[in-house]
């Protein structure tokens, strides 16, 4: 299942957090060969993990990370605006209705289930977009990920690319719509309504009138 | 764009003092049929400002009792960015429960929704609305209005930031050539489809560029963004 957790809530799920940061090291340093920072614990982190982003994480039955991404509002600091405006036609993309999604990662542990898990993470991202009436999500990603996004049914519109071969990176925009949500759910073999259920489970509503005595 | 959003924006544009914003917030409460509206900002420099429709006695009591120390709305919102239903906050501690009951007694409302706003320069604001609906009514209100409320919170925030003249304001950020292109094409009367076709970008990308420009110009919508860019000589007619 998917869990929505802010960075300062990761201490409530230490195994999940540790396996996520280790899987990120495997994906970004080892597999994609990005120039990222990995600490002595084997955790891949950057400056944006320090400003309390929201993580969308698929937690396996064993409590370990299977796939995830990181979400930040573009009104605050973002990777794309701080470092990649040469990929956005020079446009600093800031809006209350646009959020940044980065560090989309699938665990090597996901194995044959990778497509379903990737689709689940995207379905959860879509839930944020539709629930809060967002216009778009923006992100910077490795060009080799385009194929993955396409297979999930949510291909970003690439607005800029730079670098050659394995160094090629893209900036892209992901629109939100009911139709796209249905396509993602179908490609992943998941129920469309799961995004809503995961969100409500992560942010459960308590009783309106709370008993004073307890 | 609904009429009430346009009206809100117009009222903010003609606000030049913090007191003006106070009356806009009161108007917003009535237009959205809410019980209360609260806006509070802490600037990067630590300067604070609030516009609240709460009763003055409650505000004073809240400050005297230093409820902000135990109020989960404040405690959680400081670190979040998703709009938050107050029901999803942790009210389980006794001080928090007592605060909740006192607030309900004071007519603050039984339901609440807060929109946290993060600024690039460490600036932080919280925009909250309260109501007295039952759970189902509040649920559907939030579903219908959370997009509008996120924009409303941002309009108020941008305007207050302009009035406070905070150094970390981003409103003065210059438009990039691409943003000037999209606005110029719209100013020349082209439709969004024609203009995006001309620039060889998709309509969605076009929409995002327009929205980025709209935000920088502190404009309400596309039409206002074009008018404002023309008026300020950022694009030529």
């Amino acid at each position: 299942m998917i869990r929505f957790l802010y960075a300062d809530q990761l201490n409530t799920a230490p195994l999940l957090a540790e396996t996520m940061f280790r899987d990120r090291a495997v994906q970004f340093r080892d597999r994609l060969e990005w120039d990222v920072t990995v600490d002595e614990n084997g955790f891949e982190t950057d400056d944006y993990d320090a400003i309390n982003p929201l993580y969308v994480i698929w937690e396996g039955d064993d409590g370990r990370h299977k796939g995830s991404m990181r979400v930040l509002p573009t009104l605050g600091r973002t990777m794309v605006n701080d470092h990649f405006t040469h990929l956005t036609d020079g446009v600093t993309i800031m809006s209350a209705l646009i959020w940044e999604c980065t560090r989309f990662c699938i665990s090597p542990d996901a194995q044959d289930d990778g497509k379903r898990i990737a689709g689940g993470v995207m379905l959860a991202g879509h839930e944020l977009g539709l629930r809060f009436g967002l216009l778009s999500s923006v992100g910077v990603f490795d060009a080799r990920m385009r194929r993955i996004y396409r297979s999930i049914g949510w291909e970003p519109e690439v607005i800029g690319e730079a670098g050659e071969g394995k160094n090629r990176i893209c900036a892209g925009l992901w629109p939100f719509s009911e139709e796209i949500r249905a396509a993602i759910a179908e490609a992943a073999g998941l129920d469309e309504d799961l995004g809503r259920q995961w969100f409500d489970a992560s942010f459960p509503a308590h009783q309106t009138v709370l008993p004073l005595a307890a | 764009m609904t009429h009430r959003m346009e009206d809100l924006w117009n009222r903010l544009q003609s606000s030049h003092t913090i007191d003006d914003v106070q009356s806009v917030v009161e108007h917003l409460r009535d237009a959205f049929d809410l019980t209360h509206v609260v806006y509070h900002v802490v600037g990067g420099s630590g300067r604070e400002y609030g516009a609240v429709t709460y009763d003055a006695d409650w505000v004073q009591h809240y400050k005297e009792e230093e409820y902000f120390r135990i109020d989960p709305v404040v405690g959680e919102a400081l670190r979040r960015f998703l709009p938050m239903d107050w029901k999803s906050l942790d009210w389980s501690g006794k001080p928090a429960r007592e605060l909740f009951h006192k607030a309900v007694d004071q007519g603050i409302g039984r339901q609440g929704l807060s929109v946290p706003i993060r600024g690039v320069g460490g600036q932080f604001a919280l925009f909250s609305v309260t109501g007295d609906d039952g759970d189902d009514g509040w649920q559907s209100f939030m579903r219908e209005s959370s997009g509008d409320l996120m924009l409303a919170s941002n309009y108020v925030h941008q305007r207050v930031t302009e009035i406070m003249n905070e150094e970390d304001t981003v409103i003065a950020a210059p438009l990039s050539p691409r943003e000037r292109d999209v606005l110029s094409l719209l100013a020349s009367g082209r439709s969004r489809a024609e203009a995006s076709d001309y620039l060889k970008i998709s309509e969605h990308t076009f929409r995002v560029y327009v929205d980025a420009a709209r935000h920088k110009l502190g404009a309400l919508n596309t039409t206002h963004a074009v008018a404002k860019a023309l008026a300020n000589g950022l694009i030529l007619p």
Side-chain angles (χ1 to χ4, degrees):
Chain A
M1 66 171 283
I2 292 275
R3 294 178 69 181
F4 294 85
L5 289 167
Y6 284 95
D8 67 359
Q9 297 173 315
L10 289 178
N11 58 1
T12 63
L15 177 64
L16 186 63
E18 285 165 22
T19 47
M20 174 173 75
F21 291 120
R22 288 211 180 95
D23 285 344
R24 274 175 39 175
V26 171
Q27 172 159 331
F28 293 100
R29 181 191 58 185
D30 303 343
R31 233 167 34 211
L32 297 175
E33 296 178 57
W34 281 23
D35 182 18
V36 293
T37 307
V38 177
D39 71 10
E40 65 278 9
N41 298 311
F43 298 167
E44 185 275 307
T45 57
D46 67 11
D47 292 351
Y48 302 94
D49 292 304
I51 54 174
N52 210 28
L54 178 75
Y55 299 99
V56 175
I57 314 175
W58 185 297
E59 181 182 46
D61 294 337
D62 54 4
R64 303 170 80 91
H65 169 260
K66 304 295 170 189
S68 59
M69 68 179 176
R70 179 176 71 183
V71 185
L72 279 167
T74 59
L75 294 183
R77 284 187 50 214
T78 56
M79 205 161 114
V80 65
N81 289 332
D82 287 352
H83 302 291
F84 295 99
T85 50
H86 57 290
L87 300 180
T88 61
D89 280 331
V91 181
T92 304
I93 298 174
M94 298 183 93
S95 163
L97 299 181
I98 303 174
W99 292 351
E100 182 186 65
C101 293
T102 51
R103 290 295 194 266
F104 179 72
C105 169
I106 301 300
S107 171
D109 205 21
Q111 297 177 350
D112 295 346
D113 218 11
K115 190 173 165 187
R116 195 171 69 99
I117 288 164
V121 173
M122 289 307 204
L123 197 58
H126 225 84
E127 175 63 19
L128 296 177
L130 292 179
R131 178 178 289 248
F132 298 114
L134 303 185
L135 167 64
S136 185
S137 143
V138 59
V140 175
F141 55 93
D142 193 288
R144 288 166 284 182
M145 292 299 289
R146 286 179 82 163
R147 191 179 53 80
I148 313 274
Y149 293 133
R150 193 175 308 137
S151 73
I152 300 165
W154 197 14
E155 205 182 350
E157 297 182 7
V158 174
I159 52 176
E161 297 181 72
E164 294 304 322
K166 66 177 168 60
N167 293 319
R168 194 155 181 84
I169 51 163
C170 308
L173 300 171
W174 285 264
F176 300 104
S177 75
E178 307 267 350
E179 293 73 29
I180 300 170
R181 175 165 67 186
I184 299 169
E186 195 182 337
L190 293 166
D191 187 324
E192 250 187 85
D193 193 48
L194 273 171
R196 186 187 61 76
Q197 294 172 28
W198 288 327
F199 187 92
D200 289 341
S202 285
F203 301 101
H206 306 295
Q207 272 179 288
T208 313
V209 177
L210 304 126
L212 251 184
Chain B
M1 186 61 58
T2 58
H3 172 71
R4 64 183 181 186
M5 292 300 282
E6 193 163 338
D7 185 49
L8 165 68
W9 190 82
N10 286 332
R11 283 170 191 270
L12 282 168
Q13 292 316 294
S14 50
S15 299
H16 298 287
T17 65
I18 294 304
D19 285 346
D20 292 343
V21 178
Q22 173 69 30
S23 52
V24 173
V25 163
E26 286 164 15
H27 178 82
L28 181 63
R29 172 195 60 197
D30 301 338
F32 278 78
D33 206 12
L34 293 157
T35 307
H36 284 290
V37 175
V38 186
Y39 168 79
H40 184 224
V41 60
V42 181
S45 52
R47 204 142 57 107
E48 292 189 43
Y49 164 69
V52 301
T53 63
Y54 291 161
D55 190 68
D57 290 343
W58 171 251
V59 174
Q60 200 189 342
H61 181 66
Y62 187 99
K63 282 183 185 159
E64 276 169 9
E65 297 291 323
E66 300 191 339
Y67 282 142
F68 51 86
R69 293 183 191 282
I70 54 135
D71 187 346
V73 175
V74 176
E76 284 211 41
L78 276 166
R79 305 188 304 269
R80 308 282 177 252
F81 63 86
L82 298 178
M84 303 178 302
D85 183 356
W86 287 6
K87 282 203 289 293
S88 72
L89 301 173
D90 181 8
W91 297 92
S92 60
K94 193 153 188 256
R97 283 203 309 278
E98 283 172 354
L99 168 62
F100 185 89
H101 280 266
K102 257 182 213 153
V104 171
D105 287 346
Q106 292 293 318
I108 295 310
R110 293 149 55 98
Q111 306 278 1
L113 176 78
S114 289
V115 185
I117 303 165
R118 291 185 186 183
V120 275
Q123 192 190 47
F124 170 81
L126 187 63
F127 177 88
S128 304
V129 299
T130 72
D132 261 316
D133 303 275
D135 287 351
D136 291 345
W138 187 248
Q139 196 70 35
S140 58
F141 166 75
M142 286 194 304
R143 215 173 17 245
E144 285 155 21
S145 309
S146 69
D148 270 2
L149 288 171
M150 272 165 59
L151 278 177
S153 64
N154 214 252
Y155 295 154
V156 173
H157 180 66
Q158 274 194 330
R159 192 62 188 155
V160 170
T161 310
E162 282 171 341
I163 292 171
M164 287 171 79
N165 196 21
E166 279 282 336
E167 279 172 20
D168 54 11
T169 178
V170 293
I171 293 150
L175 296 183
S176 67
R178 200 49 144 184
E179 286 162 296
R180 291 202 299 270
D181 285 347
V182 299
L183 295 181
S184 298
L185 287 165
L186 292 172
S188 73
R190 283 185 176 82
S191 71
R192 200 158 53 203
E194 289 164 349
S196 52
D197 213 39
Y198 181 82
L199 294 172
K200 297 188 172 56
I201 58 179
S202 77
E203 264 195 73
H204 180 68
T205 300
F206 189 87
R207 215 187 287 253
V208 166
Y209 287 171
V210 172
D211 199 53
R214 178 199 60 74
H215 176 77
K216 277 171 211 155
L217 293 166
L220 168 73
N221 55 25
T222 308
T223 312
H224 281 89
V226 171
K228 216 162 169 174
L230 281 169
N232 289 296
L234 298 172
I235 57 172
L236 296 172

